[in-house]
Amino acid sequence: MACRNIVSIVSTMQTQKLYHTKEKKSHPEKISTYKPNNWKYDHLLSLTSQYSEEKYKVKAEKLKEEVCCTFSDTHASPVVQLELIDTIDKLGLTSYFEVEIQKALENTIIYSMKSSSNHYATTALCFRQLLTEHGYNASQDIVDRFTSNPLAWRVRWYDVRTHIINTTQNSNNTNIPMLLKLAKLNFNIIQATHQNDLKDVIRWWRNLCIVEDLEFTRDRIVESFFYAVGIASEAQHGSIRKWITKVIQLVLIIDDVYDIYASLADVQQFTRAIEKWDPNEVEQLPECMQICFRALHATMEEICVEIQEQKGGPSTLPYLKQGWVNFCKALLVEATWHYEGHIPTLEDYLDNGWISSSGSLFSFHVIYCMTNKITNENLDLCKNCQEIIYHVSIIIRLCNDQGTSTAELERGDVASSIICYMQQENVSEDVAREYIKSIILDSWKKINYHFNKLSTSHRKIVNHVINGARMAHLMYHSGDGFGVQDGETRHQILLNLVQPIT
């Protein structure tokens, strides 16, 4: 597959054609079916956790030292060591034992190369691809023994609580009680950190003061933060979580401007303003669109200043701005299809839809926010993982379509991938949905292939990019996780961000 040019997705010729498209007198009506926000912000701002106190971090360190003794057992077989690593990984404790895990995995590689047997327990654990996940390139001979687990699609941090409960109920391993104590304590400590970050973004959202002027759009700052935590849950990534949350909420607003509120002429002008990054370009647009642009402009300028202050180097603004330009151009293509009453082929839809999914926009932010500063190496990383970014974006697009297609038809939105394939192949919705699932599966295979080709130093950063695809599965598994607030996503938010483990 040829690499996609993320820097300039929509050609100048195509853009000019869209800008000069005449709005038809008759077009499908679009309405907003989103309900108002139902989170009580004052309640969330009042949340307090005793686990913010330093004494609990000290206690966690002491428990870590006790667990470390388990790794020092030189008589333990590689299978036992892998079982321990697997448990540690599921309980969200990998960061505590990076040195010990590295040594244990090195021993496992040696053992696997020497062993002629295919021990069932080793197979079951390598089924989870522990070696690859921790940065080791297992030989093809080893890899051929194992098959790859849907667990790679899941958001690890949001499974931790469930694993803690299941392990508490089912395990007879004598080492588990110490691990469980540490896991519960670690979960509550990190949750307390997340709560403080959530309060910060709620304050930012309130201070932005735009909800009252944008009744058509989604007020979903809590869900946006939930998504951002899934991308970067580690305690030290508080700034990244807050930056990504702001980007997600702005994506929802801009997407609703194009999908629900504005005329074709309005979004053409809005796209020009984004390209020029000039607030003067929106002065002739409706007031609410001016508010949207100014909120985006001010927030991105602010984020880029904060990134530069924390990480040094040149400004990230030119690179992140280009991501917004590409995103808005893709939304403009979809708006034009809508006003023309055009249902594209699935191929045409996806050629544009991977950008309109905002996956590449998130990926740019993750990469530039995760690295120390803008360098040639970091710019090369964006180029080197273009295929990963593309397939992550495809998964986000298609998971979104699977979860929101019905509601989007009610709103009169542009046809989804499901509708495109149904018309193209003259098949039922069920057949179309199954075909879309096959594309998602194929994209995951390609993500795994390209991820394994990256250097170990780049994998940690790119894994956070891939978390964007994992979050899409979580958000849209049971419907529209952003649009509908009283479903499964709310339950997950309460469990992971609000309620500590007792």
Side-chain angles (χ1 to χ4, degrees):
M1 181 183 294
C3 287
R4 281 89 184 166
N5 184 353
I6 296 176
V7 175
S8 180
I9 301 302
V10 181
S11 69
T12 302
M13 183 179 297
Q14 183 183 16
T15 304
Q16 290 174 344
K17 180 181 177 182
L18 293 177
Y19 283 160
H20 292 89
T21 300
K22 293 183 178 179
E23 184 174 344
K24 293 194 172 186
K25 293 182 180 178
S26 177
H27 55 76
E29 182 181 1
K30 296 191 286 187
I31 58 173
S32 176
T33 59
Y34 296 122
K35 294 182 179 179
N37 166 63
N38 63 11
W39 289 102
K40 306 301 182 185
Y41 290 153
D42 287 335
H43 170 67
L44 294 175
L45 288 169
S46 71
L47 291 175
T48 58
S49 173
Q50 62 184 354
Y51 296 98
S52 296
E53 299 175 20
E54 186 64 27
K55 66 179 180 181
Y56 290 101
K57 295 179 182 178
V58 173
K59 185 177 180 180
E61 285 299 317
K62 289 182 179 178
L63 283 171
K64 171 193 170 182
E65 292 173 6
E66 294 180 39
V67 176
C68 278
C69 297
T70 308
F71 281 101
S72 63
D73 182 2
T74 57
H75 299 292
S77 71
V79 170
V80 172
Q81 295 277 22
L82 280 176
E83 287 175 343
L84 179 60
I85 294 171
D86 186 58
T87 301
I88 287 171
D89 194 37
K90 287 178 179 178
L91 297 179
L93 298 173
T94 303
S95 62
Y96 282 89
F97 305 103
E98 289 183 346
V99 174
E100 293 79 7
I101 288 173
Q102 180 181 2
K103 185 174 180 180
L105 289 175
E106 288 171 352
N107 291 336
T108 299
I109 291 175
I110 295 171
Y111 173 84
S112 298
M113 294 302 295
K114 289 181 178 179
S115 175
S116 59
S117 64
N118 189 14
H119 196 286
Y120 72 93
T122 306
T123 302
L125 288 165
C126 288
F127 189 48
R128 293 262 342 270
Q129 295 184 331
L130 285 172
L131 297 177
T132 302
E133 289 170 10
H134 290 277
Y136 288 87
N137 288 315
S139 70
Q140 189 60 47
D141 179 61
I142 295 174
V143 172
D144 286 343
R145 302 181 189 182
F146 316 125
T147 57
S148 58
N149 191 307
L151 286 173
W153 299 14
R154 300 180 66 84
V155 180
R156 291 296 178 83
W157 180 248
Y158 289 146
D159 280 343
V160 166
R161 187 179 187 121
T162 300
H163 284 309
I164 290 174
I165 294 171
N166 291 342
T167 305
T168 301
Q169 295 173 345
N170 302 322
S171 179
N172 297 317
N173 190 316
T174 56
N175 295 319
I176 293 303
M178 283 190 298
L179 275 176
L180 282 173
K181 285 183 181 178
L182 179 57
K184 290 178 182 178
L185 185 57
N186 180 64
F187 180 91
N188 290 338
I189 289 171
I190 293 180
Q191 185 188 74
T193 301
H194 292 165
Q195 287 179 1
N196 289 331
D197 295 339
L198 176 59
K199 293 176 190 178
D200 285 344
V201 294
I202 289 174
R203 293 188 192 101
W204 166 81
W205 180 234
R206 279 184 157 183
N207 291 336
L208 206 56
C209 297
I210 64 174
V211 176
E212 297 80 5
D213 299 303
L214 305 175
E215 294 181 354
F216 63 87
T217 194
R218 288 164 283 182
D219 177 357
R220 299 295 186 263
I221 197 67
V222 178
E223 288 77 10
S224 297
F225 180 75
F226 178 68
Y227 203 111
V229 171
I231 290 175
S233 62
E234 299 86 350
Q236 69 270 25
H237 292 323
S239 292
I240 296 170
R241 279 188 291 277
K242 287 181 270 191
W243 293 332
I244 297 297
T245 301
K246 295 175 184 180
V247 169
I248 294 171
Q249 179 60 71
L250 290 169
V251 162
L252 295 178
I253 293 172
I254 303 303
D255 186 60
D256 290 342
V257 166
Y258 280 79
D259 278 357
I260 298 172
Y261 178 80
S263 68
L264 182 57
D266 286 344
V267 291
Q268 288 171 343
Q269 181 60 35
F270 191 89
T271 307
R272 276 195 288 267
I274 294 291
E275 285 190 279
K276 295 182 178 180
W277 206 245
D278 183 359
N280 294 326
E281 290 289 325
V282 297
E283 289 182 351
Q284 303 304 314
L285 291 176
E287 180 64 23
C288 67
M289 292 184 70
Q290 296 184 41
I291 292 170
C292 291
F293 182 89
R294 289 171 187 142
L296 171 62
H297 188 275
T299 301
M300 290 310 304
E301 296 274 349
E302 180 183 85
I303 287 174
C304 290
V305 168
E306 291 174 0
I307 293 174
Q308 195 169 19
E309 288 175 349
Q310 291 188 24
K311 301 180 178 294
S315 173
T316 57
L317 184 59
Y319 307 98
L320 299 184
K321 182 181 74 174
Q322 187 60 51
W324 283 102
V325 170
N326 294 337
F327 174 62
C328 289
K329 284 183 176 181
L331 293 182
L332 177 57
V333 172
E334 292 183 350
T336 303
W337 287 339
H338 170 80
Y339 279 95
E340 292 179 347
H342 173 63
I343 298 179
T345 64
L346 181 61
E347 181 181 6
D348 287 345
Y349 175 85
L350 292 180
D351 281 346
N352 184 73
W354 74 278
I355 301 296
S356 69
S357 76
S358 71
S360 60
L361 178 63
F362 291 156
S363 298
F364 282 147
H365 282 79
V366 170
I367 290 173
Y368 292 131
C369 292
M370 292 289 295
T371 52
N372 290 328
K373 59 183 179 180
I374 299 300
T375 63
N376 288 334
E377 181 183 2
N378 298 334
L379 295 175
D380 287 341
L381 176 57
C382 286
K383 296 176 182 177
N384 292 339
C385 64
Q386 283 189 78
E387 287 295 326
I388 290 177
I389 292 173
Y390 170 76
H391 288 290
V392 164
S393 302
I394 285 289
I395 291 169
I396 293 173
R397 174 76 279 152
L398 296 181
C399 285
N400 182 314
D401 288 353
Q402 293 270 33
T404 66
S405 179
T406 302
E408 287 179 345
L409 281 176
E410 293 176 359
R411 287 194 297 271
D413 283 359
V414 68
S416 70
S417 57
I418 297 167
I419 300 300
C420 292
Y421 190 73
M422 287 173 65
Q423 172 167 295
Q424 177 182 314
E425 300 297 329
N426 193 25
V427 296
S428 69
E429 180 177 347
D430 288 342
V431 170
R433 285 183 178 275
E434 286 303 312
Y435 184 74
I436 296 305
K437 288 179 183 177
S438 73
I439 300 177
I440 293 173
L441 176 60
D442 186 60
S443 285
W444 272 114
K445 290 178 180 177
K446 287 174 175 151
I447 287 172
N448 293 335
Y449 171 77
H450 289 288
F451 182 78
N452 290 334
K453 291 172 67 177
L454 293 174
S455 66
T456 301
S457 62
H458 284 159
R459 287 184 185 178
K460 283 189 176 181
I461 296 174
V462 176
N463 191 52
H464 289 86
V465 171
I466 298 172
N467 279 341
R470 296 176 179 127
M471 277 306 302
H473 280 286
L474 181 59
M475 293 297 291
Y476 299 108
H477 176 71
S478 302
D480 185 353
F482 278 111
V484 180
Q485 288 191 301
D486 55 0
E488 177 62 22
T489 301
R490 185 181 185 86
H491 177 65
Q492 289 291 331
I493 290 171
L494 290 172
L495 285 179
N496 288 286
L497 299 182
V498 178
Q499 301 166 356
I501 297 179
T502 56

